Amino acid sequence: MPEWISKLITGGQCKTLYVENIDLDLQPTDSEMIRKLCELYSVSLVNVRVNSINDEQNVALGPW
């Protein structure tokens, strides 16, 4: 997943990325790299958390 996100950021075609249920805390080096790329390319990364147990209470529904 970090490679895919970094390709989207460095492609220069977006200003905001919405990612569903991503956990960037698993690999600190990947998380730091993505944060630096976002800063360098002026991209906002938004993590949309979805509760799969009760879909009726979710604000955002997929598929994306």
Side-chain angles (χ1 to χ4, degrees), residues 5-58:
I5 293 174
S6 63
K7 285 181 182 182
L8 288 172
I9 294 169
T10 58
Q13 297 295 313
C14 63
K15 291 293 179 191
T16 306
L17 288 174
Y18 294 91
V19 183
E20 185 178 319
N21 292 338
I22 188 171
D23 187 3
L24 292 178
D25 295 330
L26 293 177
Q27 298 293 329
T29 56
D30 290 336
S31 177
E32 185 62 26
M33 176 196 64
I34 290 173
R35 292 178 205 277
K36 287 181 180 179
L37 285 174
C38 285
E39 186 176 322
L40 182 65
Y41 286 86
S42 299
V43 173
S44 297
L45 180 61
V46 179
N47 185 10
V48 179
R49 296 221 180 253
V50 177
N51 181 354
S52 60
I53 295 172
N54 191 356
D55 289 337
E56 294 176 5
Q57 292 182 348
N58 289 329

